[in-house]
Amino acid sequence: MASSQHVLLSPAELAYLHASLSLTPPIRPDGRSPTQFRPLVAETGILPGTNGSARICFADGTEAIVGVKAEVERTRTRHDFPSLDESAEDDDDLDDNQNDVVKGDNDWVEMTVEIPGYRDDDAGTVFLSAMLSEALLADGEFTKRLWINQRFHWKLYLDILLISPPLSYPLPLLSLTTHLALLAARLPRLKSEGDEDPLFDDDWAAAPYLYPRPSEKGSKATAPAPAARPPVTLLVMAVGNNIIFDPSKEELAVADVALAVSVGESSSSTTSTTSSKPTAMDIDTEETKGHNLRLLSVRTIDPPSRLTPPGIPNASNSAYGANAGAKDTEKKKQQQEQARTAESEAVEGVWKAPRGGAKTLVMATMVQKVLEKGGVADEVLDALDGVDLN
Amino acid sequence: MPITILPPKAFRDQPPRHSLNHDSDDVMSDATSDSEDSDSQPGGVSLDGGATIHPRKRHRSGAGAAASSTFTKRPKTNAAINSIPRSAIVTPGERITTDPQWMRGHGTYLSSASLGEQAITSSLAGIVTRTNKLLSVRPLRARYTPEVGDLVVGRIVEVQAKRWRVDVGSTQLAALPLSAINLPGGILRKRTETDELQIRTFFAEGDLVVAEVQQLFQDGGAVLHTRSLKYGKLRNGVFMAVSGTGGGGGVVRSRRQVWTLESANNGGPIDVILGVNGYVWISKHVEPVVPEEAKGQTGITNLEEVVSATMYSSQNDRIEPETMREIARIRGVVTALVENGLRVDEDMVTKGYNEAVELALVSADGPEDVYLGGERGEQLAAALTAV
Amino acid sequence: MADRRRINGPVGTTNPPIYDDAPEKQSEGVKVARSRPANVIRRMYLKTGVTPSASGSAYLEIESSGNGGSGLKLSCSVHGPRALPRSTPFSPHIILSTHVKFAPFATKQRRGYIRDPIERDLGTHLETALRGSIIADRWPKSGVDIIISIVEGEQDRETSKAQGIEAWDTMNALSGCITVASAALADAGIDCVDTVAGGVAALVQDAGDDAAPSIVVDPIPSEHEKVLAACCIAYLPTRQEVTNLWFKGDLPASDMDVYTQLIEKGIQASKSANRVLVDCLNETVG
């Protein structure tokens, strides 16, 4: 589904919404604070037939479920690649990223998004799935988790289903559900060694999580380092200088600009690989902090506001009382002149679809709001931590 | 805290609608227990509704039918009518009665029972209601079915040559003919071709109108009119759609669908329009401004002219932030009512609003906090049902 | 994303052919390093009015990298504004539809005739970028189709070896698409608030162990050891506004400075492309 799907709102409604969202602080139609999300109900492990699953629903009945399925697949060997020929030490520990042999391929993950009422090759659906998989694959660490040995890997199928018709742009909902499903996902424990055909433990209770838990991690690492987490994609919009999170459909209809910001959290081990960056010092200072956030992707979402019908100022409205009876040409000419000025100037209380783009400063602030310490991404990840993963 | 994630409830708090159903189960068993010893009672109508709950009743239906065939010869008494429960849940295909004294209403059909008898059978899942001798089934949840005289809020979705097509949440789009609106510039003006050409200047796609159902078509389509000063284009507020009528939740037909609420916190008067179709409009109350030159001459036609001047405007008046805040609060109240399965009418909205103002006073952010989602909505609903 | 209208071949993949006769040192992973300064984009050739039958059209060619590969060649045609079909509902604005398609022979691995997810994704990005620049309410009840064929994709002989850099090439392709579509729209005489052009900037890690990551504009992924992050920006220079932003990569959150610099470099790249665009349009008029 396209974010720019035809939103049928009257110019008067749009003008009202825009005015109330432009106030400081903005008044949202449902009374939320600018950074507040709609309350949601979440659970994981709802589908025993999957490797991991999650369900999230909003109070208005919008509901999404995600199922993760994994299959063992033979890795395509490439004879031209010398690094694959040399069978160095075998390592079946998925967590061990030090070994260069552990390699991932983006083809190992297949993500499909299903929105009821939309074709699966609809541009909007493709856009959503591209956005979600882009965030997941951005750091190249995720696919390494799927490595079994030189010859085999896990092929992961992520099926994201929206159960209800989309009442609002479903991106945040789908992203949060995917996040939980991946957190809850487990792969059978490998019993075989080296490059032989993989053999797995039947005991599901022994199956390790795809994303190891901090507690498990704590036993291995010396410090209880924050574990890596799947990414979350947040929808942020701006009206004037107000930055608003998790917009509803009506709010998005008056947005000046909307961004989808994907944020990931990496474990400290991956941080060390990138510490050659000029910002190594910043990272060091952050070690002590709760979340080790990383910016994975930012995308502009085409706000539907540009397609909304414009309002007509009373001055140039021929159906407006005082002008209605006006038949003489002089008055009409005057009206036309007014109409011309109305095109360039904004009249208070009259909706006008935004033109042009967004100021870079506003866009930078939007990303900043997501990422800053104690910002929205931090709190969302904290809240997701509280979800029972069973 | 920007986000609240709750675990799913094992059993959702039963909304009052359901608890009502539990009551009705009791009513039902009362009714059936009545009919059980009803051999002495006249008009023991067989109620298969009871059979699903008490399987032992199932084989009674034949006896019931036989009984009813004997009893219909007798004069009907009040007991016979009472034995049809006021609110029993029936499902499609469930026999309601074979007693020929009843007439078949909406949500039912006639099926042939034994001995060439006709049984009134439910075709919907809903509550049996009776109006005199008419038995009908009101669905638990349904789209709006228009009735003449209903006040509805609708959205223009299509503009045709001489009429608009309006979404009123019904199965069919309603029609609003150009001839059924007040044309600007006086009520007595004749409709001209210019008006037809300019049809979009009155209402365009997306515009919201408040109108009355004037006439119904056989297929359920409605014809609307706005030939009154209280009808017309909506401005200065917010729209929301609550689920369809029936089953207790949502907007119900009541004495007053439109009223002005004096809001707290300097919000000023706020108009609330509860369309019977479940579309709600909450807006700032605006007194019609009488221009200087028209002030001298008073008269009904003049006033109408003045009011109709703003009828087709799409420009909002200036709205104070305080008013916007209270509008958002009322919207939150209506949402909370709907999400908790309560009916939405003047009484409930007013009570809910007063309760919400009280709630906001004790909230951390003070009276400016208008958020009523999630737990707060439940709190509000609990406070309302407790009274 | 299965093609539902045709019978397709097997879904399995094949390895693209690798030619053995490539110079030995290159196959060992020694790459041709970037010779341009970090803030200079590649030269490009832009011409409008190449397809006489279309309302507007443009052709863009970006010079190839030094590795003996091919550069980017894009052809864009604009059809419209024209009346919408009868069945479509009234629209107070022009309806924009964008199609981006790689020619089947544009990339090393042959592409089918059905648009794949990448192409659809590109189309959505392009639509976002253009919608901000056109004055949509000047053309009510009408539609315009923007069709871009990527005649030749950007690639090197060696790219098949380095996995995962196609994604970065997509950004370069998008930036080209935006620029060429903007030229074609101007050629078609559709009102725009400003000319929009695309620009790409990337945070790259060069070969060599201790080299610090640096930001370059208009990156060629094969010229660098690793691309850490990249962004593609559609920018309106006179209004100083961004109509489309696409950032991808992996940056620590504490690194807002790097992010901001990357965006700034992207805008700079976009401005450079815009100069070419404006020159080209001036030439056509003059």
PDB file of all heavy atoms in Angstrom, chain C residues 28-45:
ATOM      1  N   GLU C  28      43.207 -10.477  -8.044  1.00  0.00           N
ATOM      2  CA  GLU C  28      43.681 -10.677  -6.682  1.00  0.00           C
ATOM      3  C   GLU C  28      43.108  -9.628  -5.739  1.00  0.00           C
ATOM      4  O   GLU C  28      43.429  -9.577  -4.565  1.00  0.00           O
ATOM      5  CB  GLU C  28      45.201 -10.625  -6.635  1.00  0.00           C
ATOM      6  CG  GLU C  28      45.818 -11.965  -6.960  1.00  0.00           C
ATOM      7  CD  GLU C  28      47.283 -11.826  -7.322  1.00  0.00           C
ATOM      8  OE1 GLU C  28      47.877 -10.788  -6.985  1.00  0.00           O
ATOM      9  OE2 GLU C  28      47.814 -12.746  -7.965  1.00  0.00           O
ATOM     10  N   GLY C  29      42.268  -8.798  -6.270  1.00  0.00           N
ATOM     11  CA  GLY C  29      41.585  -7.875  -5.385  1.00  0.00           C
ATOM     12  C   GLY C  29      42.190  -6.491  -5.365  1.00  0.00           C
ATOM     13  O   GLY C  29      41.736  -5.629  -4.637  1.00  0.00           O
ATOM     14  N   VAL C  30      43.196  -6.227  -6.166  1.00  0.00           N
ATOM     15  CA  VAL C  30      43.725  -4.873  -6.221  1.00  0.00           C
ATOM     16  C   VAL C  30      42.804  -4.062  -7.118  1.00  0.00           C
ATOM     17  O   VAL C  30      42.539  -4.438  -8.251  1.00  0.00           O
ATOM     18  CB  VAL C  30      45.164  -4.857  -6.768  1.00  0.00           C
ATOM     19  CG1 VAL C  30      45.673  -3.432  -6.838  1.00  0.00           C
ATOM     20  CG2 VAL C  30      46.046  -5.710  -5.889  1.00  0.00           C
ATOM     21  N   LYS C  31      42.303  -3.007  -6.596  1.00  0.00           N
ATOM     22  CA  LYS C  31      41.293  -2.265  -7.341  1.00  0.00           C
ATOM     23  C   LYS C  31      41.863  -0.956  -7.834  1.00  0.00           C
ATOM     24  O   LYS C  31      42.805  -0.410  -7.260  1.00  0.00           O
ATOM     25  CB  LYS C  31      40.098  -2.002  -6.447  1.00  0.00           C
ATOM     26  CG  LYS C  31      39.366  -3.282  -6.147  1.00  0.00           C
ATOM     27  CD  LYS C  31      38.287  -3.031  -5.180  1.00  0.00           C
ATOM     28  CE  LYS C  31      37.548  -4.338  -4.973  1.00  0.00           C
ATOM     29  NZ  LYS C  31      36.503  -4.201  -3.994  1.00  0.00           N
ATOM     30  N   VAL C  32      41.250  -0.463  -8.879  1.00  0.00           N
ATOM     31  CA  VAL C  32      41.625   0.847  -9.376  1.00  0.00           C
ATOM     32  C   VAL C  32      41.078   1.861  -8.382  1.00  0.00           C
ATOM     33  O   VAL C  32      39.883   1.892  -8.110  1.00  0.00           O
ATOM     34  CB  VAL C  32      41.038   1.079 -10.772  1.00  0.00           C
ATOM     35  CG1 VAL C  32      41.312   2.496 -11.228  1.00  0.00           C
ATOM     36  CG2 VAL C  32      41.590   0.069 -11.737  1.00  0.00           C
ATOM     37  N   ALA C  33      41.952   2.621  -7.805  1.00  0.00           N
ATOM     38  CA  ALA C  33      41.511   3.571  -6.789  1.00  0.00           C
ATOM     39  C   ALA C  33      40.873   4.782  -7.452  1.00  0.00           C
ATOM     40  O   ALA C  33      41.037   5.027  -8.647  1.00  0.00           O
ATOM     41  CB  ALA C  33      42.676   3.991  -5.921  1.00  0.00           C
ATOM     42  N   ARG C  34      40.159   5.511  -6.665  1.00  0.00           N
ATOM     43  CA  ARG C  34      39.461   6.681  -7.164  1.00  0.00           C
ATOM     44  C   ARG C  34      40.482   7.738  -7.529  1.00  0.00           C
ATOM     45  O   ARG C  34      41.392   8.059  -6.751  1.00  0.00           O
ATOM     46  CB  ARG C  34      38.556   7.197  -6.054  1.00  0.00           C
ATOM     47  CG  ARG C  34      37.712   8.379  -6.420  1.00  0.00           C
ATOM     48  CD  ARG C  34      36.915   8.816  -5.193  1.00  0.00           C
ATOM     49  NE  ARG C  34      36.291  10.093  -5.419  1.00  0.00           N
ATOM     50  CZ  ARG C  34      34.994  10.239  -5.653  1.00  0.00           C
ATOM     51  NH1 ARG C  34      34.207   9.201  -5.688  1.00  0.00           N
ATOM     52  NH2 ARG C  34      34.498  11.434  -5.846  1.00  0.00           N
ATOM     53  N   SER C  35      40.355   8.273  -8.731  1.00  0.00           N
ATOM     54  CA  SER C  35      41.315   9.273  -9.161  1.00  0.00           C
ATOM     55  C   SER C  35      40.763  10.689  -9.010  1.00  0.00           C
ATOM     56  O   SER C  35      41.524  11.651  -8.960  1.00  0.00           O
ATOM     57  CB  SER C  35      41.717   9.014 -10.613  1.00  0.00           C
ATOM     58  OG  SER C  35      40.551   8.860 -11.388  1.00  0.00           O
ATOM     59  N   ARG C  36      39.446  10.809  -8.948  1.00  0.00           N
ATOM     60  CA  ARG C  36      38.861  12.146  -8.810  1.00  0.00           C
ATOM     61  C   ARG C  36      39.040  12.639  -7.382  1.00  0.00           C
ATOM     62  O   ARG C  36      39.139  11.848  -6.450  1.00  0.00           O
ATOM     63  CB  ARG C  36      37.356  12.095  -9.100  1.00  0.00           C
ATOM     64  CG  ARG C  36      37.011  11.921 -10.532  1.00  0.00           C
ATOM     65  CD  ARG C  36      35.530  11.654 -10.661  1.00  0.00           C
ATOM     66  NE  ARG C  36      35.178  10.337 -10.150  1.00  0.00           N
ATOM     67  CZ  ARG C  36      34.137  10.108  -9.382  1.00  0.00           C
ATOM     68  NH1 ARG C  36      33.379  11.110  -8.978  1.00  0.00           N
ATOM     69  NH2 ARG C  36      33.860   8.888  -8.965  1.00  0.00           N
ATOM     70  N   PRO C  37      39.016  13.962  -7.208  1.00  0.00           N
ATOM     71  CA  PRO C  37      38.972  14.477  -5.832  1.00  0.00           C
ATOM     72  C   PRO C  37      37.675  14.031  -5.159  1.00  0.00           C
ATOM     73  O   PRO C  37      36.694  13.713  -5.829  1.00  0.00           O
ATOM     74  CB  PRO C  37      38.995  15.996  -6.003  1.00  0.00           C
ATOM     75  CG  PRO C  37      39.481  16.237  -7.390  1.00  0.00           C
ATOM     76  CD  PRO C  37      39.126  15.040  -8.195  1.00  0.00           C
ATOM     77  N   ALA C  38      37.676  14.065  -3.815  1.00  0.00           N
ATOM     78  CA  ALA C  38      36.561  13.495  -3.068  1.00  0.00           C
ATOM     79  C   ALA C  38      35.248  14.234  -3.308  1.00  0.00           C
ATOM     80  O   ALA C  38      34.178  13.671  -3.146  1.00  0.00           O
ATOM     81  CB  ALA C  38      36.881  13.503  -1.584  1.00  0.00           C
ATOM     82  N   ASN C  39      35.342  15.519  -3.695  1.00  0.00           N
ATOM     83  CA  ASN C  39      34.092  16.276  -3.792  1.00  0.00           C
ATOM     84  C   ASN C  39      33.714  16.618  -5.228  1.00  0.00           C
ATOM     85  O   ASN C  39      33.039  17.621  -5.480  1.00  0.00           O
ATOM     86  CB  ASN C  39      34.180  17.537  -2.930  1.00  0.00           C
ATOM     87  CG  ASN C  39      35.362  18.381  -3.332  1.00  0.00           C
ATOM     88  OD1 ASN C  39      36.145  17.980  -4.201  1.00  0.00           O
ATOM     89  ND2 ASN C  39      35.500  19.535  -2.729  1.00  0.00           N
ATOM     90  N   VAL C  40      34.183  15.840  -6.159  1.00  0.00           N
ATOM     91  CA  VAL C  40      33.859  16.101  -7.566  1.00  0.00           C
ATOM     92  C   VAL C  40      33.082  14.907  -8.112  1.00  0.00           C
ATOM     93  O   VAL C  40      33.469  13.763  -7.908  1.00  0.00           O
ATOM     94  CB  VAL C  40      35.157  16.327  -8.381  1.00  0.00           C
ATOM     95  CG1 VAL C  40      34.841  16.407  -9.863  1.00  0.00           C
ATOM     96  CG2 VAL C  40      35.834  17.593  -7.910  1.00  0.00           C
ATOM     97  N   ILE C  41      31.972  15.220  -8.781  1.00  0.00           N
ATOM     98  CA  ILE C  41      31.198  14.128  -9.359  1.00  0.00           C
ATOM     99  C   ILE C  41      31.755  13.801 -10.743  1.00  0.00           C
ATOM    100  O   ILE C  41      32.519  14.580 -11.322  1.00  0.00           O
ATOM    101  CB  ILE C  41      29.700  14.471  -9.449  1.00  0.00           C
ATOM    102  CG1 ILE C  41      29.450  15.688 -10.341  1.00  0.00           C
ATOM    103  CG2 ILE C  41      29.113  14.682  -8.072  1.00  0.00           C
ATOM    104  CD1 ILE C  41      27.993  15.860 -10.723  1.00  0.00           C
ATOM    105  N   ARG C  42      31.374  12.649 -11.237  1.00  0.00           N
ATOM    106  CA  ARG C  42      31.831  12.264 -12.562  1.00  0.00           C
ATOM    107  C   ARG C  42      31.207  13.168 -13.612  1.00  0.00           C
ATOM    108  O   ARG C  42      30.148  13.765 -13.378  1.00  0.00           O
ATOM    109  CB  ARG C  42      31.440  10.816 -12.856  1.00  0.00           C
ATOM    110  CG  ARG C  42      32.373   9.820 -12.264  1.00  0.00           C
ATOM    111  CD  ARG C  42      31.836   8.430 -12.426  1.00  0.00           C
ATOM    112  NE  ARG C  42      30.681   8.206 -11.577  1.00  0.00           N
ATOM    113  CZ  ARG C  42      29.890   7.150 -11.663  1.00  0.00           C
ATOM    114  NH1 ARG C  42      30.118   6.234 -12.577  1.00  0.00           N
ATOM    115  NH2 ARG C  42      28.879   7.001 -10.855  1.00  0.00           N
ATOM    116  N   ARG C  43      31.836  13.240 -14.764  1.00  0.00           N
ATOM    117  CA  ARG C  43      31.270  14.054 -15.840  1.00  0.00           C
ATOM    118  C   ARG C  43      30.014  13.376 -16.353  1.00  0.00           C
ATOM    119  O   ARG C  43      29.914  12.147 -16.362  1.00  0.00           O
ATOM    120  CB  ARG C  43      32.294  14.207 -16.963  1.00  0.00           C
ATOM    121  CG  ARG C  43      33.413  15.156 -16.570  1.00  0.00           C
ATOM    122  CD  ARG C  43      34.287  15.406 -17.744  1.00  0.00           C
ATOM    123  NE  ARG C  43      34.890  14.150 -18.209  1.00  0.00           N
ATOM    124  CZ  ARG C  43      35.454  14.024 -19.405  1.00  0.00           C
ATOM    125  NH1 ARG C  43      35.453  15.033 -20.252  1.00  0.00           N
ATOM    126  NH2 ARG C  43      35.995  12.886 -19.764  1.00  0.00           N
ATOM    127  N   MET C  44      29.058  14.194 -16.746  1.00  0.00           N
ATOM    128  CA  MET C  44      27.856  13.576 -17.291  1.00  0.00           C
ATOM    129  C   MET C  44      27.383  14.325 -18.530  1.00  0.00           C
ATOM    130  O   MET C  44      27.704  15.493 -18.748  1.00  0.00           O
ATOM    131  CB  MET C  44      26.752  13.521 -16.239  1.00  0.00           C
ATOM    132  CG  MET C  44      26.322  14.840 -15.655  1.00  0.00           C
ATOM    133  SD  MET C  44      24.837  14.599 -14.695  1.00  0.00           S
ATOM    134  CE  MET C  44      25.495  14.251 -13.107  1.00  0.00           C
ATOM    135  N   TYR C  45      26.665  13.588 -19.354  1.00  0.00           N
ATOM    136  CA  TYR C  45      26.142  14.148 -20.589  1.00  0.00           C
ATOM    137  C   TYR C  45      24.631  14.114 -20.472  1.00  0.00           C
ATOM    138  O   TYR C  45      24.045  13.065 -20.193  1.00  0.00           O
ATOM    139  CB  TYR C  45      26.615  13.314 -21.773  1.00  0.00           C
ATOM    140  CG  TYR C  45      25.991  13.706 -23.082  1.00  0.00           C
ATOM    141  CD1 TYR C  45      26.464  14.807 -23.796  1.00  0.00           C
ATOM    142  CD2 TYR C  45      24.926  12.975 -23.606  1.00  0.00           C
ATOM    143  CE1 TYR C  45      25.885  15.171 -24.993  1.00  0.00           C
ATOM    144  CE2 TYR C  45      24.342  13.331 -24.803  1.00  0.00           C
ATOM    145  CZ  TYR C  45      24.823  14.433 -25.498  1.00  0.00           C
ATOM    146  OH  TYR C  45      24.242  14.791 -26.673  1.00  0.00           O
TER     147      TYR C  45
END
